Amino acid sequence: MSKGGNKGNERAPEVVAIMGGTGSGKTTQVLRVLHGKARRRTLVWSPKEREDNYAGAYMGSVVVRSATDCIHEMRASGPWHVVFVPSLLRKSDEAMFSVVCMAALAARDVCVVVDELHTVTRPNMAPDGWRKLVMMGRSAGCSVIGASQRPASIDKDFFGNCSRVHVRRLGYPEDAKVCAKALGVDAAEVLALSGYKWLERNTLTGKVSRG
């Protein structure tokens, strides 16, 4: 992974996009970025928790399934690690997602991980809480890691706020085109990714790394 940029900003909150199809190493990369810094507080939106087991990333993680329980856990003054497992009923999930994003912003100093971002945002729609978290989170000490298998189906404004965009193998040309634009490379290069190969752009420096 690229380590370019200003060393003085290495601990600064950041917004990271991690895109990749099933079996591309996307979840492994999310965990790599998550553990790349010491995190006192984390909130993970985990639709596939049974398979991904984000709760295993930190000792003492609490798994919740409602916005009420999530907010209750996030009110603790010390360190906490919360994993939210949504219902996968889009209308209710979008509403709860907005609420917990606002709660994370209010809590401050939280790393928010959203897996399968396409299940709670759309290309031309972002829940208010998510939009505010991505736009204003860094000033509240909040980092955001957004991941998806279907980047063409997520909130497009998210890419515009990213400090890093990491892309792995994708199965659809539409997804490759969206990621190519965010990376500043040809769509053909994204479509050519295979196995666990990846491309990453540091938007602060403009540098594109390959691995």
Short mmCIF file of all heavy atoms in Angstrom, two decimals, residues 30-59:
data_model
loop_
_atom_site.label_atom_id
_atom_site.label_comp_id
_atom_site.label_asym_id
_atom_site.label_seq_id
_atom_site.Cartn_x
_atom_site.Cartn_y
_atom_site.Cartn_z
N VAL A 30 -9.81 -3.96 4.34
CA VAL A 30 -10.51 -3.13 5.34
C VAL A 30 -9.87 -3.34 6.71
O VAL A 30 -9.57 -2.37 7.43
CB VAL A 30 -12.01 -3.47 5.39
CG1 VAL A 30 -12.67 -2.77 6.58
CG2 VAL A 30 -12.71 -3.03 4.10
N LEU A 31 -9.66 -4.58 7.08
CA LEU A 31 -9.06 -4.88 8.39
C LEU A 31 -7.63 -4.37 8.48
O LEU A 31 -7.19 -3.90 9.53
CB LEU A 31 -9.11 -6.39 8.65
CG LEU A 31 -10.52 -6.94 8.91
CD1 LEU A 31 -10.50 -8.47 8.87
CD2 LEU A 31 -11.05 -6.45 10.25
N ARG A 32 -6.91 -4.44 7.37
CA ARG A 32 -5.54 -3.93 7.35
C ARG A 32 -5.52 -2.42 7.62
O ARG A 32 -4.70 -1.93 8.42
CB ARG A 32 -4.89 -4.25 6.01
CG ARG A 32 -3.41 -3.86 5.94
CD ARG A 32 -2.80 -4.29 4.62
NE ARG A 32 -2.74 -5.73 4.50
CZ ARG A 32 -3.29 -6.46 3.53
NH1 ARG A 32 -3.97 -5.87 2.56
NH2 ARG A 32 -3.16 -7.78 3.51
N VAL A 33 -6.41 -1.70 6.98
CA VAL A 33 -6.49 -0.25 7.20
C VAL A 33 -6.97 0.04 8.62
O VAL A 33 -6.45 0.92 9.31
CB VAL A 33 -7.41 0.42 6.17
CG1 VAL A 33 -7.62 1.89 6.49
CG2 VAL A 33 -6.83 0.27 4.76
N LEU A 34 -7.95 -0.72 9.07
CA LEU A 34 -8.49 -0.52 10.42
C LEU A 34 -7.41 -0.69 11.47
O LEU A 34 -7.30 0.11 12.42
CB LEU A 34 -9.62 -1.53 10.67
CG LEU A 34 -10.41 -1.39 11.97
CD1 LEU A 34 -11.13 -0.05 12.03
CD2 LEU A 34 -11.41 -2.54 12.09
N HIS A 35 -6.56 -1.70 11.31
CA HIS A 35 -5.51 -1.96 12.30
C HIS A 35 -4.23 -1.18 12.01
O HIS A 35 -3.24 -1.32 12.74
CB HIS A 35 -5.20 -3.46 12.33
CG HIS A 35 -6.28 -4.28 12.96
ND1 HIS A 35 -6.73 -4.06 14.24
CD2 HIS A 35 -7.03 -5.31 12.48
CE1 HIS A 35 -7.68 -4.92 14.53
NE2 HIS A 35 -7.90 -5.69 13.48
N GLY A 36 -4.26 -0.35 10.98
CA GLY A 36 -3.08 0.45 10.66
C GLY A 36 -2.80 1.56 11.65
O GLY A 36 -1.71 2.12 11.68
N LYS A 37 -3.79 1.87 12.47
CA LYS A 37 -3.64 2.89 13.51
C LYS A 37 -4.28 2.37 14.79
O LYS A 37 -5.15 1.51 14.76
CB LYS A 37 -4.34 4.19 13.10
CG LYS A 37 -3.79 4.86 11.86
CD LYS A 37 -4.57 6.13 11.54
CE LYS A 37 -4.06 6.80 10.28
NZ LYS A 37 -4.81 8.05 9.97
N ALA A 38 -3.87 2.93 15.91
CA ALA A 38 -4.52 2.60 17.17
C ALA A 38 -5.91 3.22 17.16
O ALA A 38 -6.06 4.41 16.87
CB ALA A 38 -3.70 3.13 18.34
N ARG A 39 -6.92 2.44 17.45
CA ARG A 39 -8.30 2.92 17.42
C ARG A 39 -8.94 2.70 18.79
O ARG A 39 -9.13 1.57 19.22
CB ARG A 39 -9.13 2.17 16.38
CG ARG A 39 -8.47 1.98 15.02
CD ARG A 39 -8.60 3.18 14.14
NE ARG A 39 -8.12 2.87 12.79
CZ ARG A 39 -8.06 3.76 11.81
NH1 ARG A 39 -8.45 5.00 12.00
NH2 ARG A 39 -7.61 3.41 10.61
N ARG A 40 -9.30 3.77 19.47
CA ARG A 40 -9.96 3.65 20.77
C ARG A 40 -11.44 3.36 20.62
O ARG A 40 -12.04 2.70 21.48
CB ARG A 40 -9.79 4.94 21.57
CG ARG A 40 -8.36 5.24 22.02
CD ARG A 40 -8.30 6.48 22.89
NE ARG A 40 -8.98 6.31 24.15
CZ ARG A 40 -10.15 6.87 24.46
NH1 ARG A 40 -10.79 7.62 23.57
NH2 ARG A 40 -10.70 6.68 25.64
N ARG A 41 -12.02 3.88 19.54
CA ARG A 41 -13.45 3.71 19.33
C ARG A 41 -13.72 3.35 17.87
O ARG A 41 -13.26 4.04 16.97
CB ARG A 41 -14.20 5.00 19.67
CG ARG A 41 -14.11 5.43 21.12
CD ARG A 41 -14.79 6.77 21.31
NE ARG A 41 -14.96 7.12 22.71
CZ ARG A 41 -15.58 8.22 23.14
NH1 ARG A 41 -16.09 9.06 22.25
NH2 ARG A 41 -15.69 8.46 24.42
N THR A 42 -14.47 2.27 17.67
CA THR A 42 -14.81 1.88 16.30
C THR A 42 -16.29 1.53 16.23
O THR A 42 -16.86 0.97 17.16
CB THR A 42 -13.99 0.67 15.82
OG1 THR A 42 -14.26 -0.46 16.65
CG2 THR A 42 -12.49 0.99 15.84
N LEU A 43 -16.87 1.88 15.10
CA LEU A 43 -18.24 1.48 14.79
C LEU A 43 -18.22 0.83 13.42
O LEU A 43 -17.79 1.46 12.44
CB LEU A 43 -19.17 2.71 14.77
CG LEU A 43 -20.58 2.48 14.20
CD1 LEU A 43 -21.35 1.49 15.05
CD2 LEU A 43 -21.32 3.81 14.10
N VAL A 44 -18.63 -0.41 13.33
CA VAL A 44 -18.62 -1.14 12.08
C VAL A 44 -20.05 -1.50 11.67
O VAL A 44 -20.78 -2.13 12.44
CB VAL A 44 -17.78 -2.44 12.17
CG1 VAL A 44 -17.75 -3.15 10.81
CG2 VAL A 44 -16.36 -2.13 12.64
N TRP A 45 -20.43 -1.08 10.46
CA TRP A 45 -21.71 -1.48 9.87
C TRP A 45 -21.43 -2.75 9.07
O TRP A 45 -20.73 -2.71 8.06
CB TRP A 45 -22.23 -0.36 8.98
CG TRP A 45 -23.57 -0.59 8.36
CD1 TRP A 45 -23.82 -1.21 7.17
CD2 TRP A 45 -24.84 -0.22 8.89
NE1 TRP A 45 -25.17 -1.24 6.92
CE2 TRP A 45 -25.82 -0.63 7.97
CE3 TRP A 45 -25.25 0.43 10.06
CZ2 TRP A 45 -27.19 -0.42 8.16
CZ3 TRP A 45 -26.60 0.64 10.27
CH2 TRP A 45 -27.56 0.23 9.33
N SER A 46 -21.94 -3.89 9.54
CA SER A 46 -21.50 -5.18 9.02
C SER A 46 -22.67 -6.06 8.58
O SER A 46 -23.16 -6.91 9.35
CB SER A 46 -20.68 -5.91 10.10
OG SER A 46 -20.23 -7.16 9.64
N PRO A 47 -23.14 -5.90 7.34
CA PRO A 47 -24.27 -6.71 6.86
C PRO A 47 -23.98 -8.20 6.80
O PRO A 47 -24.90 -9.02 6.92
CB PRO A 47 -24.51 -6.15 5.45
CG PRO A 47 -23.93 -4.79 5.46
CD PRO A 47 -22.73 -4.89 6.36
N LYS A 48 -22.71 -8.58 6.60
CA LYS A 48 -22.35 -10.00 6.49
C LYS A 48 -21.48 -10.41 7.68
O LYS A 48 -20.45 -11.06 7.52
CB LYS A 48 -21.62 -10.26 5.18
CG LYS A 48 -22.43 -9.93 3.94
CD LYS A 48 -21.73 -10.37 2.67
CE LYS A 48 -20.38 -9.70 2.56
NZ LYS A 48 -19.59 -10.14 1.40
N GLU A 49 -21.90 -10.05 8.88
CA GLU A 49 -21.08 -10.27 10.06
C GLU A 49 -20.78 -11.75 10.29
O GLU A 49 -19.70 -12.10 10.76
CB GLU A 49 -21.77 -9.68 11.30
CG GLU A 49 -21.02 -9.87 12.61
CD GLU A 49 -19.61 -9.27 12.62
OE1 GLU A 49 -19.30 -8.42 11.75
OE2 GLU A 49 -18.82 -9.65 13.49
N ARG A 50 -21.70 -12.63 9.95
CA ARG A 50 -21.47 -14.06 10.14
C ARG A 50 -20.22 -14.52 9.39
O ARG A 50 -19.44 -15.34 9.87
CB ARG A 50 -22.68 -14.87 9.69
CG ARG A 50 -22.53 -16.37 9.89
CD ARG A 50 -23.79 -17.12 9.50
NE ARG A 50 -24.91 -16.77 10.35
CZ ARG A 50 -26.13 -17.28 10.20
NH1 ARG A 50 -26.39 -18.14 9.22
NH2 ARG A 50 -27.09 -16.93 11.03
N GLU A 51 -20.03 -13.99 8.17
CA GLU A 51 -18.87 -14.36 7.37
C GLU A 51 -17.64 -13.50 7.70
O GLU A 51 -16.51 -14.01 7.75
CB GLU A 51 -19.18 -14.22 5.88
CG GLU A 51 -20.22 -15.16 5.34
CD GLU A 51 -21.65 -14.68 5.57
OE1 GLU A 51 -21.81 -13.54 6.05
OE2 GLU A 51 -22.58 -15.44 5.26
N ASP A 52 -17.87 -12.20 7.92
CA ASP A 52 -16.73 -11.28 8.04
C ASP A 52 -16.16 -11.18 9.45
O ASP A 52 -14.98 -10.88 9.63
CB ASP A 52 -17.14 -9.89 7.55
CG ASP A 52 -17.47 -9.87 6.07
OD1 ASP A 52 -16.95 -10.74 5.34
OD2 ASP A 52 -18.23 -8.99 5.64
N ASN A 53 -16.99 -11.38 10.47
CA ASN A 53 -16.55 -11.40 11.87
C ASN A 53 -15.72 -10.17 12.26
O ASN A 53 -14.62 -10.28 12.78
CB ASN A 53 -15.76 -12.68 12.17
CG ASN A 53 -15.45 -12.82 13.66
OD1 ASN A 53 -16.21 -12.36 14.51
ND2 ASN A 53 -14.32 -13.44 13.98
N TYR A 54 -16.26 -8.99 12.01
CA TYR A 54 -15.58 -7.78 12.45
C TYR A 54 -15.51 -7.70 13.98
O TYR A 54 -14.62 -7.04 14.53
CB TYR A 54 -16.29 -6.55 11.91
CG TYR A 54 -16.01 -6.27 10.45
CD1 TYR A 54 -16.98 -6.50 9.47
CD2 TYR A 54 -14.78 -5.77 10.04
CE1 TYR A 54 -16.73 -6.25 8.13
CE2 TYR A 54 -14.51 -5.51 8.71
CZ TYR A 54 -15.49 -5.75 7.76
OH TYR A 54 -15.23 -5.50 6.44
N ALA A 55 -16.44 -8.37 14.65
CA ALA A 55 -16.42 -8.35 16.11
C ALA A 55 -15.15 -8.98 16.66
O ALA A 55 -14.73 -8.70 17.79
CB ALA A 55 -17.65 -9.08 16.66
N GLY A 56 -14.52 -9.84 15.85
CA GLY A 56 -13.28 -10.47 16.28
C GLY A 56 -12.06 -9.58 16.15
O GLY A 56 -10.97 -9.95 16.57
N ALA A 57 -12.25 -8.39 15.57
CA ALA A 57 -11.10 -7.50 15.34
C ALA A 57 -10.60 -6.86 16.63
O ALA A 57 -9.41 -6.53 16.74
CB ALA A 57 -11.49 -6.41 14.34
N TYR A 58 -11.50 -6.67 17.60
CA TYR A 58 -11.13 -6.04 18.86
C TYR A 58 -11.74 -6.82 20.02
O TYR A 58 -12.94 -7.14 20.00
CB TYR A 58 -11.61 -4.59 18.92
CG TYR A 58 -10.94 -3.67 17.94
CD1 TYR A 58 -11.54 -3.35 16.73
CD2 TYR A 58 -9.68 -3.12 18.22
CE1 TYR A 58 -10.92 -2.51 15.82
CE2 TYR A 58 -9.05 -2.28 17.33
CZ TYR A 58 -9.68 -1.98 16.12
OH TYR A 58 -9.06 -1.15 15.22
N MET A 59 -10.95 -7.06 21.04
CA MET A 59 -11.45 -7.72 22.24
C MET A 59 -12.53 -6.85 22.88
O MET A 59 -12.37 -5.64 23.00
CB MET A 59 -10.30 -7.97 23.22
CG MET A 59 -10.70 -8.79 24.44
SD MET A 59 -9.28 -9.10 25.51
CE MET A 59 -8.26 -10.10 24.43
#
